[in-house]
Amino acid sequence: MAVDGHIQDWHIAHHSRFALGGMALSFVEATGVTPEGRITYGCTGIWVDNHVLGLKKIVNLYKSQNIAVGIQLGHAGRRASCVRLLDGGQSISDKDTVEPPWGIIGPSAIAEREGYPVPRSMSHKKIMKVIEAFKAAAKRALDAGFDTIEIHGAHGYLIHSFFSPISNQRKDQYGGNLSSRMTFPLMVTEAVREIWPENKPLFYRVSAVDNISGGITIDDTVKLSRELKRRGVDVIDCSSGGISSPTTSPKVKYFRGFQVPYSEKIKKESNVTTMAVGLITEAEQAETILKNKQADLIALAREMISDSNWAYRAALKLGIDNPYDVLPSSYSFYLKQRNELLKN
């Protein structure tokens, strides 16, 4: 819904629903650090200073309701230059003259799948330029007033594509064995943390497994998570997949909480705080994950779109003493009053 990366009225309306819903922390998702790093023409951006003004509006909206707010910084890599997901999510056709395709980049000249464009393999100079773009984006995120940043290292996008042996077949310092394939993700993290203050948390989103033979395994991600923690990452957000198919629109059926085991293993074996995500829909389900120490935080996306008052309804279901506390006082007063009338 963005125009040239800029926030529109739709974004304010969208985030207002959540700002009034009682959540603890909300993220502005997948924001491009460069124009070519957008997934689609409709993605939000943070590659120029002019983007900060719109992002500040979202920050101020959440802070007015005492809700923490973060932003995902990402580069789509070989998964860029796509039509909007509502229109199918496939690569933009060369025949589209209204919104023409743009050149895509990646660690190696390997197309995501048959019939898709082949990315340009990045030179060392280009790699350094993209790292600088992440660094500049972190500075703009700071200027906008965000409380936290999440580096998007998942779902087949640029950072993930460097980590995965499926998409990274380089023979230089950025490819080859596991340690070398970590190089780019860790360099991006170091650059962001150099800008991002120590007192502000840094999240990192992983695709814990590729779910493809020869791809990333959970043990690989445990090792990456240890290195990320050493470089100042506070929370690992545990997603999965996306190296060769859209994670955001899966074609196969998944069971509820299917990614929670990844969060649990990374938490226990990397000794790092983790966030569980993926088909977590019920209050009791979320609470059980926390009580069983399978994760430290619960992330909701589609379920919040379905019910932006999920936190309030969860508080009711779990028998919290004063469930109205999660809502703005202008809402909680009337709901509490209604409940008292019903008791009478």
Side-chain angles (χ1 to χ4, degrees):
M1 307 300 286
V3 177
D4 294 327
H6 290 278
I7 297 298
Q8 303 298 302
D9 288 345
W10 183 90
H11 294 93
I12 303 301
H14 172 70
H15 286 282
S16 293
R17 295 179 68 228
F18 310 128
L20 297 171
M23 64 170 63
L25 165 66
S26 181
F27 281 98
V28 176
E29 287 194 306
T31 306
V33 300
T34 69
E36 70 180 4
R38 288 176 292 175
I39 308 163
T40 76
Y41 277 101
C43 291
T44 52
I46 194 169
W47 65 81
V48 291
D49 293 344
N50 286 343
H51 286 145
V52 172
L53 184 61
L55 292 169
K56 260 185 181 176
K57 292 179 182 178
I58 293 175
V59 169
N60 292 340
L61 178 65
Y62 280 112
K63 291 196 172 183
S64 72
Q65 301 303 320
N66 297 315
I67 292 173
V69 57
I71 185 169
Q72 288 181 344
L73 301 184
H75 190 298
R78 67 179 191 167
R79 302 199 70 187
S81 190
C82 289
V83 301
R84 292 164 180 81
L85 193 60
L86 293 173
D87 298 320
Q90 70 276 6
S91 292
I92 299 173
S93 168
D94 290 333
K95 297 177 182 177
D96 193 331
T97 56
V98 178
E99 290 189 330
W102 64 88
I104 61 175
I105 58 176
S108 302
I110 302 172
E112 182 186 330
R113 46 196 145 148
E114 189 175 348
Y116 273 53
V118 177
R120 186 174 72 255
S121 180
M122 295 168 68
S123 66
H124 173 73
K125 183 178 180 180
K126 182 63 177 178
I127 287 171
M128 297 309 295
K129 190 173 181 180
V130 170
I131 290 171
E132 283 302 311
F134 270 96
K135 193 172 180 178
K139 175 64 167 61
R140 294 186 186 104
L142 192 60
D143 292 342
F146 285 100
D147 297 302
T148 183
I149 281 174
E150 178 167 88
I151 298 170
H152 203 320
H155 300 168
Y157 302 136
L158 186 64
I159 296 174
H160 177 198
S161 70
F162 266 87
F163 186 51
S164 174
I166 300 292
S167 46
N168 183 353
Q169 296 182 13
R170 300 174 72 104
K171 304 299 182 184
D172 61 3
Q173 72 208 71
Y174 301 104
N177 61 28
L178 178 63
S179 178
S180 294
R181 285 185 280 109
M182 286 186 197
T183 301
F184 180 72
L186 296 179
M187 287 176 71
V188 170
T189 302
E190 288 169 353
V192 170
R193 191 81 251 195
E194 185 180 332
I195 296 296
W196 202 240
E198 287 186 18
N199 66 330
K200 286 180 178 276
L202 179 61
F203 286 57
Y204 187 105
R205 188 163 218 189
V206 297
S207 276
V209 296
D210 279 338
N211 285 323
I212 298 174
S213 177
I216 291 169
T217 67
I218 185 61
D219 291 329
D220 294 336
T221 302
V222 165
K223 292 173 184 175
L224 174 64
S225 299
R226 290 171 184 159
E227 295 302 320
L228 289 169
K229 183 181 179 183
R230 291 190 184 104
R231 287 159 177 81
V233 168
D234 299 288
V235 181
I236 302 295
D237 177 6
C238 305
S239 189
S240 66
I243 202 64
S244 64
S245 62
T247 304
T248 50
S249 183
K251 302 298 182 184
V252 297
K253 291 185 178 180
Y254 293 119
F255 57 88
R256 294 181 188 276
F258 69 102
Q259 294 174 149
V260 173
Y262 306 139
S263 171
E264 182 177 18
K265 186 175 178 71
I266 291 169
K267 173 179 169 60
K268 289 179 178 177
E269 297 189 13
S270 299
N271 193 29
V272 65
T273 299
T274 61
M275 182 159 72
V277 65
L279 288 181
I280 299 171
T281 58
E282 303 298 329
E284 296 85 355
Q285 176 194 14
E287 191 74 355
T288 297
I289 292 167
L290 297 174
K291 285 183 174 179
N292 290 344
K293 301 188 185 304
Q294 294 173 286
D296 303 281
L297 298 166
I298 302 294
L300 305 171
R302 287 172 177 82
E303 191 59 27
M304 285 297 296
I305 293 172
S306 172
D307 179 7
S308 59
N309 288 321
W310 189 93
Y312 168 62
R313 301 198 184 283
L316 289 173
K317 285 182 180 179
L318 296 172
I320 303 301
D321 288 341
N322 189 357
Y324 315 101
D325 270 355
V326 303
L327 295 174
S329 57
S330 53
Y331 285 6
S332 63
F333 171 80
Y334 291 104
L335 291 173
K336 190 172 184 179
Q337 183 185 58
R338 182 184 69 169
N339 191 49
E340 292 300 323
L341 288 172
L342 288 172
K343 287 180 181 178
N344 295 331

